[in-house]
Amino acid sequence: MSSQPKGPSVLLRRLREVMAEPHDPQKRLDIIVADIAGNMVAEVCSVYVLRADGMLELYASHGLNPEAVHVSSLRMGQGLVGTIAVSARALNLNEAQKHPAFEYLPETGEEIFNAFLGVPILRAGRVLGVLVVQNKSNRVYMDAEVEALETTAMVLGELIATGELEKLSPKGVALDLSRPLTMEGIALSDGIGLGYVVLHEPRVIVTNLFNDQVEDEISRLREALIKVQVSIDVLFQSGNVPIEGEHRDVLETYRMFAHDRGWNRRMEEAIANGLTAEAAVEKVQNDNRARMMRRPDPYLRERLHDFDDLANRLLRELVGKEHGASAAIVGGDHVIVARNMGATELLDYNSKKLRGLVLEEAAPNSHVVIVARALGIPVVGQLADFVSNAEQGNPVIVDGEAGSVMLRPPLDMENAYAEKVKFRAGRQKQYEKLRNKPAKSKDGVDISLLMNAGLVMDLKQLETSGASGVGLFRTELQFMVSATLPRLGEQEELYRHVLDEAGDKPMTFRTLDIGGDKVLPYLKTLNEENPAMGWRAIRLSLDRPALLRSQVRALLKAAAGRNLRLMVPLVTEVWEINQVRELIKREVELQTRFGHEMPRSLELGAMLEVPSLLWQLDELMQAVDFISVGSNDLHQFMMASGRGNVNLANRFSPLSKSFLRMLKKIIDKSEEHKTPVTLCGEIAGRPISAMALFALGYKSVSMSPIAVGPVKAMLMALDIGELQKKLLPALEDTLEQTTVMEVLTDFADKHGIPY
Ligand code: PEP
Ligand code: MG
């Protein structure tokens, strides 16, 4: 008997016919295994499919006892089949019984077979089952046969993914592909969202598996590969790639993979075996993923992401780019799933349909998270490998309270969550009742609870949240959602609209805070090695005065006859604010000369975000009308710990004694100078940290609108004077082991304060 297969391309052609013929699912599977056995000259061909309960069930067999089909099953890791599933690697044995993992299943009658070749059935790197061929003789399967069986396994992967096999098991257990999956991450934005997965960077789903012309497909692959290689080389030559740093590392890795001979050869082999160029890319990527995902080394796993990105680029090159982010999902209730994303990218989605955001990376103060919070969308982050487990359109629940995500939830869980949503709505109603109550502590201290905003649509929440005004209007958000730089007239109209919406409530605009991670697609910025500490915010504005001047002009005209409060981000030295004041003064003179009505009053403030200002507080307070503490940036610079850095997200608490002592110094100075201070970082929106701020003496805070209700409820139950007696000594006591968090939670628990 010849051990030479007839050629996988013949088999693939045959399988294509079988897939297209109208068969019931079991019949189709039976024909497929018989055809594979015939083609590979094997006496046995069997398919094991992974069920949601972790068992690999024999779904079809040619050559084993038919009675064993849907009866025999193995656990993951059990026997040869279980070993293949766990390791996601092929096993090629000429004496199967001698392998230590061999386990004899008497009902199958397989004891007479010696040669064994099994390969995992993979899809996007996930194991969905195992495909096996066996022979009585002690033959050794050649590499080409292993490759052929792996290629064939792809067809079975697609068949499983169609859901067609879902109801075949008499036990009624669902398949692993549709298994519910709960993952724990960290809660980044409060709320609960139910919806369907929208992959931010959708995997290109390859549906065209079989090729007609090997040569044509090889040329398609080579052309696409050259285009990708060229695009990477062009990036390098553009001079935009820094000499060193993470960005360069990623691109270097891309370049290395793109030129990797082994990778190219394996893809061409897969084409020679009968796959289309795109299916070949997918097959080889499946193998890579399976191999690399088992490595515990985080560096290698990170490289896997790079490799995935590259394979995706290649796939897009081959099958076109029409896989737009939300194209695949029609209807509402979108939950965006991404490894990470920029704030601008989130704003590209229709916010009316957004129900949640799941990010594998991202930290509490990442801008994308802040924007999501402003939009009132629950966010859960730091969930490794979530993206590869999620399929476009899968039902999903995002629990931004507990920090967990449920993928493909069972019905009872969905019902439980629907209840939870109702409960939260009830609590929200309670907060709404507080809306018109004065923001006063239990011991009678008035506090100004303001909200942060950035888009006109946010201003509706001025009414619903109960905020007494806007403490921070991030003007850059409007710039980030525009395709082109907003013109003067457009800006003026926008600011007028914002002021109209605010009515007599105070409104504080912040001048453009771009640069760093806030990039405007139409404005060329530098590719900096350390963008957070780079040419951003006021630094960029002073160097590009035309941009700042046109914004100031738009604001002055929009605020004609009204109050204008304006603040400047990332001030580092007092002279910067003086220069802005000069620029404003000149603009006022010019506009007055042209006969334009000017604001009735104008107040200029500085954001305190850079620690250098802490040693210029006297000068600063004399130079400005008010100060706004941007605790997000101030914390990252004081702790030398990037606000978006996942590995440092929980290391340095904003409730640390050092940080709170510093905040106290600011408030003490402001009392001395009678300079009003507001704090507008994310810590103002968490009831427990807001408690600390009130005890330090802060009387004005600005937060995301959704936080106003909970903070007000806390405030109304809080005796600030009593808390001060506990907190202030604790802050000074360096020997005391109790953390500030413990002091606060103890106090809140004792006094029934909701936090
Ligand atoms: C801050 O840094 O605290 C702040 C409010 O500004 P942003 O988060 O927009 O940088
Ligand atoms: Mg800031």
Side-chain angles (χ1 to χ4, degrees):
M1 176 171 55
S2 155
S3 60
Q4 188 68 37
K6 282 196 208 99
S9 54
V10 177
L11 175 59
L12 281 185
R13 210 162 300 145
R14 170 73 192 124
L15 293 186
R16 167 159 54 178
E17 285 161 22
V18 180
M19 294 287 270
E21 286 160 6
H23 290 298
D24 76 69
Q26 185 66 51
K27 182 87 199 294
R28 194 189 312 282
L29 210 50
D30 292 342
I31 298 175
I32 289 176
V33 286
D35 281 347
I36 298 173
N39 179 272
M40 307 244 342
V41 201
E43 279 121 330
V44 172
C45 175
S46 314
V47 177
Y48 296 81
V49 179
L50 182 58
R51 298 190 319 223
D53 60 358
M55 298 300 285
L56 290 146
E57 178 176 320
L58 180 63
Y59 255 59
S61 181
H62 170 91
L64 294 185
N65 181 2
E67 306 283 303
V69 172
H70 294 303
V71 173
S72 281
S73 60
L74 292 142
R75 266 179 293 107
M76 287 291 273
Q78 185 191 6
L80 299 178
V81 168
T83 304
I84 295 166
V86 165
S87 65
R89 296 192 89 149
L91 259 187
N92 183 1
L93 308 167
N94 64 346
E95 282 185 86
Q97 285 91 337
K98 292 212 171 130
H99 191 281
F102 178 81
E103 202 158 305
Y104 171 52
L105 298 177
E107 69 276 14
T108 61
E110 66 176 335
E111 67 278 14
I112 52 171
F113 300 105
N114 284 303
F116 175 104
L117 170 62
V119 297
I121 300 172
L122 295 168
R123 200 176 127 87
R126 277 179 74 186
V127 173
L128 302 184
V130 174
L131 175 63
V132 174
V133 288
Q134 289 171 283
N135 280 87
K136 284 187 194 140
S137 64
N138 286 62
R139 61 171 289 201
V140 178
Y141 299 95
M142 293 178 304
D143 285 352
E145 289 174 292
V146 179
E147 183 70 30
L149 197 63
E150 282 177 348
T151 306
T152 315
M154 270 192 85
V155 180
L156 286 158
E158 287 310 309
L159 187 63
I160 296 172
T162 60
E164 176 171 314
L165 305 184
E166 197 65 59
K167 304 225 160 56
L168 285 187
S169 174
K171 296 207 175 56
V173 187
L175 296 189
D176 187 64
L177 192 74
S178 49
R179 176 168 53 102
L181 185 69
T182 298
M183 288 178 92
E184 302 294 330
I186 62 165
L188 294 177
S189 170
D190 194 22
I192 291 181
L194 285 79
Y196 298 92
V197 168
V198 174
L199 292 173
H200 177 55
E201 282 171 341
R203 287 187 291 272
V204 177
I205 302 293
V206 177
T207 46
N208 186 14
L209 289 180
F210 315 104
N211 80 43
D212 294 316
Q213 277 298 333
V214 171
E215 290 312 315
D216 291 355
E217 291 302 308
I218 292 206
S219 333
R220 282 184 64 224
L221 176 71
R222 287 187 183 160
E223 277 166 29
L225 204 51
I226 287 173
K227 280 195 191 142
V228 171
Q229 287 165 348
V230 168
S231 70
I232 297 170
D233 290 343
V234 165
L235 256 180
F236 269 99
Q237 281 150 15
S238 68
N240 275 342
V241 182
I243 309 290
E244 53 189 349
E246 199 182 337
H247 186 54
R248 187 173 184 101
D249 281 355
V250 170
L251 277 174
E252 287 281 13
T253 317
Y254 271 15
R255 180 147 78 170
M256 192 181 82
F257 286 146
H259 290 273
D260 183 79
R261 290 252 183 84
W263 190 45
N264 299 355
R265 184 178 41 75
R266 280 158 61 210
M267 290 191 290
E268 292 196 2
E269 270 170 18
I271 294 178
N273 280 341
L275 292 181
T276 55
E278 52 269 33
V281 177
E282 173 142 304
K283 177 187 179 294
V284 172
Q285 191 53 14
N286 263 341
D287 301 345
N288 286 338
R289 293 197 116 255
R291 259 174 227 141
M292 288 165 92
M293 269 164 85
R294 288 194 321 275
R295 306 270 183 101
D297 182 344
Y299 179 78
L300 272 180
R301 291 173 73 96
E302 195 47 47
R303 297 287 76 83
L304 170 64
H305 286 323
D306 301 339
F307 217 157
D308 265 345
D309 288 345
L310 188 67
N312 241 329
R313 267 174 183 238
L314 198 51
L315 284 174
R316 292 219 179 92
E317 203 55 67
L318 284 163
V319 296
K321 300 186 173 64
E322 77 279 19
H323 301 79
S326 43
I329 311 287
V330 280
D333 301 336
H334 294 173
V335 171
I336 313 297
V337 172
R339 206 158 355 111
N340 208 345
M341 71 200 293
T344 327
E345 292 171 294
L346 180 62
L347 291 169
D348 283 343
Y349 289 91
N350 179 351
S351 63
K352 288 203 185 82
K353 293 184 176 177
L354 289 185
R355 298 290 171 270
L357 176 64
V358 182
L359 299 167
E360 282 191 0
E361 296 164 9
N365 289 343
S366 308
H367 276 115
V368 62
V369 175
I370 291 180
V371 170
R373 228 173 267 148
L375 295 171
I377 303 166
V379 185
V380 175
Q382 294 180 33
L383 290 157
D385 290 333
F386 189 82
V387 175
S388 62
N389 279 292
E391 297 275 335
Q392 195 81 279
N394 275 172
V396 60
I397 300 172
V398 184
D399 185 341
E401 190 178 295
S404 50
V405 180
M406 277 62 58
L407 193 60
R408 303 178 286 265
L411 196 62
D412 54 347
M413 188 181 276
E414 247 180 65
N415 291 340
Y417 265 94
E419 277 306 306
K420 205 165 165 180
V421 170
K422 251 194 238 153
F423 171 77
R424 288 179 60 98
R427 210 166 56 185
Q428 210 53 43
K429 280 247 152 27
Q430 294 300 112
Y431 294 142
E432 275 166 29
K433 282 196 196 134
L434 303 182
R435 204 160 62 188
N436 299 320
K437 295 231 160 83
K440 202 187 261 296
S441 70
K442 203 170 153 199
D443 55 339
V445 182
D446 287 312
I447 303 280
S448 163
L449 297 182
L450 305 159
M451 64 171 238
N452 298 341
L455 297 170
V456 177
M457 67 179 180
D458 298 345
L459 294 170
K460 279 192 215 78
Q461 307 199 63
L462 250 181
E463 198 51 47
T464 53
S465 68
S468 58
V470 174
L472 163 65
F473 190 89
R474 294 181 162 104
T475 56
E476 64 276 4
L477 286 195
Q478 196 58 42
F479 282 68
M480 285 158 78
V481 293
S482 304
T484 52
L485 190 73
R487 279 171 313 187
L488 177 70
E490 284 168 330
Q491 285 192 57
E492 184 185 331
E493 196 178 319
L494 168 79
Y495 302 142
R496 184 169 296 120
H497 194 146
V498 169
L499 285 166
D500 289 346
E501 289 280 323
D504 9 324
K505 293 184 172 163
M507 161 69 58
T508 305
F509 291 98
R510 171 171 79 183
T511 60
L512 276 185
D513 186 2
I514 47 173
D517 65 340
K518 299 179 196 170
V519 236
L520 305 184
Y522 43 83
L523 194 80
K524 195 168 167 357
T525 45
L526 304 176
N527 228 327
E528 296 174 301
E529 195 181 327
N530 206 340
M533 297 194 193
W535 192 52
R536 52 171 284 213
I538 184 60
R539 303 163 181 191
L540 191 149
S541 298
L542 286 177
D543 292 352
R544 291 272 172 86
L547 201 62
L548 179 61
R549 209 176 298 124
S550 90
Q551 187 175 36
V552 166
R553 190 172 298 173
L555 283 161
L556 288 172
K557 288 167 115 179
R562 316 191 236 203
N563 297 325
L564 177 61
R565 276 170 66 85
L566 195 56
M567 65 186 185
V568 180
L570 212 80
V571 175
T572 311
E573 295 272 10
V574 178
W575 59 259
E576 292 170 309
I577 197 83
N578 291 337
Q579 283 199 3
V580 176
R581 200 183 277 286
E582 259 316 297
L583 183 143
I584 296 174
K585 194 167 143 238
R586 278 199 304 273
E587 204 47 48
V588 170
E589 280 164 10
L590 188 72
Q591 296 304 315
T592 314
R593 234 184 293 140
F594 285 137
H596 292 298
E597 188 187 2
M598 288 287 93
R600 184 154 36 93
S601 69
L602 199 154
E603 288 165 277
L604 180 64
M607 283 194 75
L608 204 164
E609 303 183 286
V610 183
S612 67
L613 284 186
L614 297 169
W615 287 270
Q616 307 172 66
L617 285 176
D618 290 319
E619 300 94 307
L620 179 72
M621 292 196 183
Q622 281 158 32
V624 296
D625 302 305
F626 65 95
I627 280 187
S628 186
V629 179
S631 58
N632 304 333
D633 274 316
L634 190 53
H635 187 261
Q636 84 162 340
F637 294 128
M638 185 163 146
M639 301 303 190
S641 151
R643 60 195 273 181
N645 189 318
V646 179
N647 300 321
L648 298 173
N650 299 317
R651 181 178 299 230
F652 304 113
S653 167
L655 289 178
S656 69
K657 291 184 182 176
S658 60
F659 196 66
L660 294 185
R661 279 185 207 164
M662 183 276 300
L663 290 180
K664 176 98 175 44
K665 177 177 151 93
I666 299 172
I667 203 77
D668 289 349
K669 268 281 174 219
S670 79
E671 276 161 18
E672 199 183 308
H673 286 275
K674 309 244 171 316
T675 306
V677 171
T678 295
L679 186 144
C680 63
E682 296 302 304
I683 56 168
R686 275 173 232 130
I688 196 76
S689 42
M691 254 174 88
L693 295 177
F694 300 150
L696 292 180
Y698 283 80
K699 297 204 171 53
S700 173
V701 283
S702 192
M703 64 202 77
S704 66
I706 198 163
V708 176
V711 170
K712 195 187 253 188
M714 175 278 288
L715 173 68
M716 290 168 75
L718 173 69
D719 186 322
I720 295 180
E722 283 304 309
L723 176 60
Q724 272 174 340
K725 286 187 207 156
K726 292 263 181 257
L727 184 74
L728 298 184
L731 274 190
E732 291 316 316
D733 192 347
T734 43
L735 298 175
E736 176 58 67
Q737 296 292 309
T738 323
T739 63
V740 172
M741 184 58 113
E742 284 161 351
V743 173
L744 294 168
T745 48
D746 254 24
F747 187 89
D749 290 341
K750 248 188 224 131
H751 296 85
I753 299 167
Y755 62 93

